[in-house]
Amino acid sequence: MTIPNSDFMIENGVSDLPFTPEEEKRIVSELTTESENNLKEGNLYFVISKRWHTSWQKYVDQSSRESLEASRPGPIDNSDIIESEGDINDPQLRRLLVEGEDYVLVPQEVWKRLVDWYSGRPPIARKMICQGFYSKSYSVEVYPLCLMLTDGRDESRTAIRLGKQASVRELYEKVCAVTGVAQEKAQIWDYFDKRKNGLLYPSSNRSLEESRLQMDQDILLEVDGSSSSQAAMSSAGNELALVPLEPSRSRVTIAGGPTLPNGHSTSSKFSLFPRITSEDDGGDSLSILGKGEKGGLAGLSNLGNTCFMNSALQCLAHTPPIVEYFLQDYSDDINRDNPLGMCGELAIAFGDLMKKLWSSGRNAVAPRTFKTKLARFAPQFSGYNQHDSQELLAFLLDGLHEDLNKVKRKPYVELKDSDSRPDDEVAEELWNYHKARNDSVIVNVCQGQYKSTLVCPVCGKISITFDPFMYLSLPLPSTLTRVMTVTVFYCDGSCLPMPYTVTVPKQGSCRDLVTALGTACCLADDESLLLAEVYDHKIFRYFENPLESLSVIKDDEHIVAYRLNQMPKGSRNAKLEILHGGQDRAVLESVKGRDAKLFGTPFVTYVNKEPLSGTDIDAVISGFLSPLQKVQAPSNIHKGNDNGHLADATADETSGSLSSPDTEISPDTEIDEASDRELSFRIFLTDERGLNFKPLQSESSVSPGIITRVLVEWNEGEHEKYDSNYLSDLPEVHKTSFSAKKKKQEAISLFSCLEAFLAEEPLGPDDMWFCPSCKEHRQANKKLDLWKLPDILVFHLKRFTYSRYLKNKLDTLVNFPIHDLDLREYVKNKNGESYVYELYAVSNHYGGLGGGHYTAYAKLIDDNKWYHFDDSHVSSANESEIKTSAAYVLFYRRVRSDTEKQTAGMSSDMD
């Protein structure tokens, strides 16, 4: 790759501009690609303010619509993303910044170029790290670990910043350098929650992350083993902690008697657990609950934006069969050899955390070991950014299943074709195949089965499969559709321009929009609609590919549809664009300055590729404008074909040209020659950019190209005759109004969300199905049906929507049943099993995207009482408080009939 030399003078922070915007864009793109092709640990990236970077992007992307007037940005300015108070030589990023919204990351070579071109400061360098257990992934550590060092000699506090993958030895080196203490005299303690949780050994190569050190937590320095710290001395009894390598084998449950849902029993007044060592920092090791204390009411400490994790964990910690399983001996189920698992480490850490939550009374537990394991096996959840509780839940359930899968060697299963066999037979066969390879408490409790039907739109081939599911992600009905407003122009002059508001699939295509518009405007069989976007009173782009996604159309754009008669098959079509100019001053005067004043909405029609006369074009314009007449004018104008089309011919030019003796389009044309009293309007042939104009006369001959553009001048006479307001003020595709915002708060039912999930819909253009009959990928219609429901049924409400241009969260209130959720009519498999459910937990999300806060509601089923879990804070809640617009993940348990309970009890006794 060759990049021009950038050695040039910079005066007053401004360069000599040796490169054009296009060259800057190319150089940065090439350097970025080179860096992406050579990823490795230790590579430096620099953080740049998104605000400044956006101004630079607009400058170098002058071809984009938004950047037509973009000017060169000033020096790089990162002041909006760093803490205002702090050392200017060691700038610290403001917390909770979001990549792509607040900042961007650029490779070191790109940063050097940008500084050469623009200067600016301060530099904020960050290192690339490699994470992952089985598959390695690279990421930039934007927020290094910040530890608060307490010097035991004088209680002074100092911030120590290191990467989370730095070793304990490196921590000693930095602390000793800052404090002036010799390493052989220093002892550094994990001082989380102001308690000595374990000594960090200077010879250890363990990383700070593996040592469970969290963002902003305390560490304690002691010199020669002595300390004046009262807090340190008070916690000296809890100095060392070891990692449990096996789960406890005790079968004693929380209450010491037969286990009931949520681990409760009526046979004892207190909890009894054997003491085991643990890395989790809830204070002491597992302890005995005092008289009258209840299990399951412990909070979880926030370790730095871990409310998403705490919310999901509390929901699982109050899932009866899950907590019952992990409070007993499950060591024989650990599958350490499963290549899809985490060597059993995730299940052990989770089980140990469950025991602590159910044995700590109301003391908060710090899930540090669990978070460390989570970050190791799922790097996407490492660090201290906010994440999604549902995404964590999906990973955790799948990871626990793989760690606890009793099938050590998965048999090879050759799937058979359904061959028109009964659904019952095929579904049972596939479920047995699934269970032969997957057998764990998670599968037994949380997995169901749905039927998926695909129908080829061409040959009618039907494909039916039965697939397992762990949870159901339900769309909110408002997220499935999109309201769009498009203005229809009638090319035959039969009607005024008319805006139509239609509802289309949000993931639909231009074909869906054309179909909806056609229905709304009563489109005839021999008519068609041509979609286009209008920007700056010109056609910015056409939407002629029926499969093009509607996601490319933004809500603030202006879309029109030109209603045309269909051209005969085999005809060679060209477009004629008619622009409007001269609203404030004559076009002919503006032509001299090459700055025509445009207004309104262009007219567009199809013409055959045959030379057109000025009279032909004049007739088309008259036809378009006829509905806009203020008063009925005498019928003395030329008439074209009723459908707005003109006659046949051939030409290959990409733009129209005059074939009269003076064919050159020039701004220096004599203006006086433009007036032709045989035409109704003064018309000019112009180019794509609207900089050159050529007056048309009645006998002028224009050879149409792919697109021919003409401009019609509006003078006082035209404005008196026609109402130009119909050409202006095009409505936006979608404009959010107060009433629309208010409507968002109206409640929808959980059943309507489920019906939207089960409704038949076409696959997206990027999710085509390969039809075995056609041997081609087809946009098949897909229909889902529930077939088998699990004992624990989890609903994920899809509140977060993402598109190419927009990210949004819907705060719509979903009205979900707390008791007696009856799903019988939605389940196709009528096997006599109960499909009535009861709510027992909810994961809530408050706030918007990229931030917000997660909490949980959970029910102690034996006590029939609800509680609110907000990180370490736990409080009682009324059942009436559970339904809110923050509800994000819903947890239901099956309510069995008395007969089913008896049957289940007999089956258990036989086992």
Side-chain angles (χ1 to χ4, degrees), residues 512-524:
D512 297 314
L513 179 57
V514 168
T515 300
L517 285 172
T519 301
C521 70
C522 301
L523 194 71

Side-chain angles (χ1 to χ4, degrees), residues 668-685:
D668 300 321
T669 303
E670 288 296 326
I671 301 303
D672 293 340
E673 297 179 2
S675 179
D676 186 342
R677 294 305 159 201
E678 294 184 20
L679 299 179
S680 302
F681 307 94
R682 296 214 289 184
I683 309 170
F684 301 82
L685 187 67

Side-chain angles (χ1 to χ4, degrees), residues 548-586:
E548 186 170 9
S549 173
L550 291 178
S551 63
V552 302
I553 301 177
K554 300 181 185 178
D555 282 348
D556 60 353
E557 292 174 348
H558 303 275
I559 305 298
V560 297
Y562 297 99
R563 183 168 178 165
L564 304 156
N565 276 10
Q566 292 181 359
M567 298 290 287
K569 290 185 178 181
S571 59
R572 301 177 62 188
N573 301 340
K575 295 184 185 74
L576 175 64
E577 292 183 5
I578 302 167
L579 310 178
H580 307 282
Q583 186 177 29
D584 297 325
R585 66 180 187 272

Side-chain angles (χ1 to χ4, degrees), residues 433-652:
Y433 287 166
H434 176 66
K435 287 296 297 288
R437 296 171 57 85
N438 302 276
D439 184 12
S440 71
V441 63
I442 304 299
V443 171
N444 296 338
V445 168
C446 299
Q447 283 198 354
Q449 187 182 38
Y450 62 74
K451 174 185 177 182
S452 176
T453 304
L454 290 171
V455 180
C456 178
V458 178
C459 71
K461 169 69 176 179
I462 298 176
S463 173
I464 296 177
T465 59
F466 292 86
D467 301 304
F469 68 84
M470 193 87 75
Y471 53 86
L472 298 176
S473 289
L474 306 186
L476 276 61
S478 57
T479 66
L480 292 178
T481 58
R482 178 182 181 186
V483 175
M484 303 181 72
T485 299
V486 178
T487 303
V488 175
F489 280 79
Y490 293 75
C491 298
D492 60 1
S494 60
C495 295
L496 289 168
M498 182 69 65
Y500 290 92
T501 299
V502 296
T503 301
V504 293
K506 180 163 287 187
Q507 302 301 323
S509 62
C510 289
R511 175 187 293 157
D512 297 314
L513 179 57
V514 168
T515 300
L517 285 172
T519 301
C521 70
C522 301
L523 194 71
D525 292 339
D526 60 347
E527 292 179 310
S528 63
L529 292 174
L530 174 64
L531 294 176
E533 178 190 351
V534 174
Y535 177 77
D536 199 22
H537 310 297
K538 294 182 287 188
I539 300 295
F540 183 74
R541 56 178 166 172
Y542 292 99
F543 301 97
E544 296 182 278
N545 179 4
L547 297 181
E548 186 170 9
S549 173
L550 291 178
S551 63
V552 302
I553 301 177
K554 300 181 185 178
D555 282 348
D556 60 353
E557 292 174 348
H558 303 275
I559 305 298
V560 297
Y562 297 99
R563 183 168 178 165
L564 304 156
N565 276 10
Q566 292 181 359
M567 298 290 287
K569 290 185 178 181
S571 59
R572 301 177 62 188
N573 301 340
K575 295 184 185 74
L576 175 64
E577 292 183 5
I578 302 167
L579 310 178
H580 307 282
Q583 186 177 29
D584 297 325
R585 66 180 187 272
V587 172
L588 297 183
E589 295 176 1
S590 64
V591 165
K592 296 179 180 179
R594 300 192 181 194
D595 181 25
K597 179 71 174 181
L598 301 179
F599 78 96
T601 305
F603 296 146
V604 178
T605 188
Y606 283 130
V607 295
N608 288 323
K609 292 186 175 180
E610 178 179 298
L612 306 175
S613 67
T615 302
D616 294 330
I617 297 174
D618 186 77
V620 173
I621 298 171
S622 297
F624 267 112
L625 290 176
S626 60
L628 276 60
Q629 292 186 48
K630 294 180 179 179
V631 292
Q632 187 63 39
S635 181
N636 59 355
I637 57 176
H638 298 281
K639 300 291 184 182
N641 294 339
D642 289 340
N643 59 13
H645 293 159
L646 300 175
D648 257 353
T650 60
D652 304 276

